[in-house]
Amino acid sequence: MSSQPQACLWLDQSPAEPRWPPLTQSARCDVAVIGGGYTGLWTAYYLKRMAPELEVALLEAESCGWGASGRNGGWLIGGLAGQEAHLRGLDGERREQARRRLFGIVDEVAAVLAREGIECDFAHGGVLYAAARYPEQEAAGRRWLRELRRAGHGEADFRWLEREEAQSQLGARDVRGGVFSPHCAVIQPARLAQGLARAAARLGGRIHERSPVRRLAPGVAGLDGCELRADVIVPALEGASNQFPLLGRCLLPVQSLLLATEPLPAALWEEIGLARRQAFGDLSRMVTYGQRSADGRLVFGARGGYRLGGRAQWDFDPDGAEFAWRERLLRQLFPALGAAAVQYRWGGTLGVARAFTPYAMYDRRAGIAMAGGYGGEGVGAANLMGRTLAEWILERDGDLTSMPWVVPEGRLERVRRWAPEPVPWLGYHLLRGGYALEERLCVGNAAPAWARRGAGKLAAALESLLA
C-alpha cells in the first residue's frame, strides 16, 4: 500500500460504491428516509424488521456510508452527548430505565451484527479517557466523575483508574490516571454502514443511491426530474441538514479530522497498549479520540472546525495546517511512535445540536420524523434514535418515545435552533481560541498555575455561552 496520504482509511478498505439504482421516476411509499448514514439506515432497518409490510424507501445522494458514517473514529458508545443533564432531572425508575437504554446500545448493535452477519471489526474493549500530558486533565477527569455520580452512574459504569492501572492500558505521555467505562466498542465504520444497507435491503427496503434530494417539504422529497411522496419523511442528514430551509439551523455542521498511521509492529504496540482494542482519548477540551484498528494502525482524531454559513466539507488538504496540528498532538501523546508514518489523513462533517444535546422528534401534523445532533458520538446514538423513530412512526408500545432526549409535544418548531450567521461562526471560533489558549498554557506546565486556572475558567465560560 502506498505511503502517501489517502482520502479515508475506512473507505479505502471498503469503498463506498453504488450498489442500488438511482430514483429516476416519481414514486410513492409509506416512509421516505433521506440519507444513507447511520440514522437513516438504522431507521429503515428497524421499520422493516418491525413492520415488513411497510413500504420504506431510502434516498442517498452518494453511496450508503459515503458521508460521516463512513469517516468517523469508529467509537460505538453506549450513551449520548450531554446525557448527564438529562439523567440528573429524572428520579428513581425513570432514570434507571433511561440508563439501561443508553448502556444497552452496544449489546443491541452486537446482536444485530450477529443476526445479519455484518463483519465490521467489532471489539468491545471499553473506553479510557486518560488524564495525560498535563496535570489539569486529572482535575477535569475527577470533576467529570463526580458529575457522573450525580447522574446515577456507579462504579460498574464509570470508574477512576489510578496511574499504574491507566498506564497498563495506555502507554501515552504522562498518564496520571483516567476514567474508564465498559460501555464502548470500536468498529470499522464504513463496513457497518454498508452492512446495514444490505440488511435493510434484504428485509425489503428500497434503496436508491446517487439520488440527491434538492427540495424537501412535508410529504415530498424532490429530486432532479422526479419526486418521492410519502406519508412520513425522515430527514436523516445530520451535518448536511442546513441545505434545506425546513431544517435550517436545527444543527450546526462542524468538521472533524482524523489520522491513521501505517500498521505498527507488535513491539511498538507493547509500548502503546490497547491490548483489548479499547477506545481512548485524553481529558482535554480538544476532544481527542482514537482506536487500535483491526489491522494494527493507530487511528486518531480531534475536534475540528466550522465554516462560515454552516457549509459541509468532505475534501481536505492532507498537507494542511489542521492535519499537521493533529499529527503533532498524536506524537506528543505517543512519543514511542518515533518515525512511524502517518499514512491516512481525512475528515468529514457532523451535526451539533443546540446545547450540545442530541434529540429525536416526530411531528405527526407535518409527517416529519428526525433525530440527530450527535456531536461526534453518533455511531451508537444513531442506533438508539433509529429504534426510537421506528417505534414512534409505527405507534408501537414502548418506552423509547418517552425518554428525556425526545423533543416534547413532537413539533418541529420546538427544536431549538442556532442563531443566524455570523453568530455561530464567531462563537465557534471564539470557543476554539479559548481551548487553544488553555492548551498552550497547560502543556509543559510552562505558565504559572494562576494563568492555567484562568484559561480553564475562560474556556468553560465560553462553552456555556455557546450552548
Side-chain angles (χ1 to χ4, degrees):
M1 187 176 290
S2 168
S3 63
Q4 296 301 310
Q6 305 294 314
C8 173
L9 167 66
W10 314 126
L11 294 175
D12 194 52
Q13 291 177 338
S14 188
E17 299 172 347
R19 294 174 172 82
W20 292 278
L23 183 67
T24 57
Q25 295 183 333
S26 294
R28 180 171 180 82
C29 61
D30 297 317
V31 180
V33 178
I34 316 301
Y38 291 140
T39 300
L41 292 167
W42 280 120
T43 302
Y45 173 79
Y46 283 111
L47 283 170
K48 289 300 296 181
R49 183 165 173 81
M50 295 165 66
E53 73 286 356
L54 200 72
E55 293 185 9
V56 178
L58 183 148
L59 303 177
E60 164 56 39
E62 298 287 344
S63 305
C64 290
W66 180 90
S69 293
R71 301 169 188 263
N72 57 79
W75 284 28
L76 175 66
I77 302 174
L80 293 176
Q83 66 188 31
E84 286 75 40
H86 286 311
L87 295 174
R88 282 197 302 270
L90 302 177
D91 294 322
E93 179 55 30
R94 282 209 68 208
R95 183 161 69 178
E96 288 307 303
Q97 188 180 47
R99 291 176 66 255
R100 286 194 297 270
R101 284 299 193 179
L102 294 169
F103 294 149
I105 289 172
V106 178
D107 288 340
E108 169 65 16
V109 172
V112 174
L113 299 182
R115 182 168 61 237
E116 302 296 344
I118 298 173
E119 297 291 339
C120 61
D121 300 336
F122 176 91
H124 191 175
V127 56
L128 173 62
Y129 302 93
R133 298 194 296 131
Y134 51 87
E136 283 78 9
Q137 289 197 24
E138 180 176 358
R142 292 186 183 278
R143 283 196 304 272
W144 181 40
L145 192 61
R146 289 193 292 271
E147 292 176 12
L148 291 167
R149 293 287 180 265
R150 287 195 293 271
H153 302 310
E155 282 282 312
D157 302 316
F158 296 91
R159 66 185 180 93
W160 182 260
L161 304 189
E162 296 299 341
R163 183 190 299 261
E164 184 176 346
E165 188 176 3
Q167 290 177 344
S168 72
Q169 291 198 29
L170 185 68
R173 182 189 294 273
D174 197 18
V175 172
R176 299 163 179 266
V179 177
F180 177 80
S181 173
H183 303 301
C184 184
V186 294
I187 56 156
Q188 206 282 23
R191 289 176 181 160
L192 173 59
Q194 293 162 15
L196 283 175
R198 291 191 292 271
R202 281 196 302 269
L203 291 171
R206 296 181 355 230
I207 297 178
H208 298 284
E209 296 179 309
R210 300 292 166 88
S211 300
V213 173
R214 309 298 186 189
R215 302 170 306 282
L216 189 62
V220 60
L223 293 79
D224 293 329
C226 64
E227 62 183 24
L228 179 64
R229 292 190 171 272
D231 297 326
V232 179
I233 301 283
V234 181
L237 296 159
E238 197 62 353
S241 298
N242 274 4
Q243 64 184 297
F244 299 110
L246 183 70
L247 310 176
R249 307 203 317 275
C250 283
L251 299 175
L252 197 68
V254 301
Q255 282 72 52
S256 193
L257 284 74
L258 296 97
L259 314 168
T261 68
E262 63 185 334
L264 304 178
L268 186 48
W269 277 117
E270 284 292 321
E271 292 188 59
I272 294 173
L274 304 176
R276 303 192 308 275
R277 291 186 59 210
Q278 303 95 311
F280 74 90
D282 75 356
L283 283 160
S284 71
R285 296 184 205 273
M286 304 314 292
V287 190
T288 61
Y289 52 94
Q291 66 152 295
R292 176 178 179 169
S293 70
D295 63 343
R297 302 171 189 271
L298 187 57
V299 180
F300 179 78
R303 183 188 294 273
Y306 174 73
R307 305 174 77 197
L308 184 63
R311 293 172 292 158
Q313 183 176 0
W314 305 103
D315 57 330
F316 297 85
D317 176 7
D319 298 317
E322 288 275 24
F323 287 111
W325 172 78
R326 281 163 179 77
E327 184 169 347
R328 287 195 299 272
L329 180 54
L330 172 65
R331 295 186 185 279
Q332 185 184 100
L333 267 169
F334 297 100
L337 283 174
V342 169
Q343 199 169 46
Y344 286 86
R345 300 175 174 93
W346 76 95
T349 298
L350 54 94
V352 177
R354 188 71 188 273
F356 306 105
T357 306
Y359 61 83
M361 183 280 307
Y362 181 29
D363 190 331
R364 286 188 175 86
R365 298 177 307 170
I368 300 288
M370 61 185 291
Y374 307 124
E377 298 183 6
V379 179
N383 169 270
L384 180 66
M385 296 303 197
R387 281 182 279 149
T388 301
L389 295 183
E391 184 179 287
W392 224 339
I393 291 167
L394 296 173
E395 299 183 358
R396 298 295 176 86
D397 292 334
D399 61 7
L400 286 173
T401 58
S402 64
M403 290 290 116
W405 43 85
V406 168
V407 175
E409 300 180 23
R411 295 287 185 265
L412 186 57
E413 59 267 23
R414 294 294 298 272
V415 175
R416 290 187 65 192
R417 307 209 179 206
W418 292 91
E421 291 287 11
V423 174
W425 185 86
L426 291 170
Y428 196 88
H429 284 274
L430 184 62
L431 183 65
R432 284 197 72 192
Y435 292 162
L437 175 64
E438 183 180 30
E439 282 280 305
R440 284 196 302 272
L441 294 178
C442 290
V443 173
N445 297 322
W450 65 264
R452 299 199 302 269
R453 286 195 301 271
K457 290 178 180 178
L458 174 63
L462 290 171
E463 197 167 60
S464 63
L465 284 175
L466 188 61

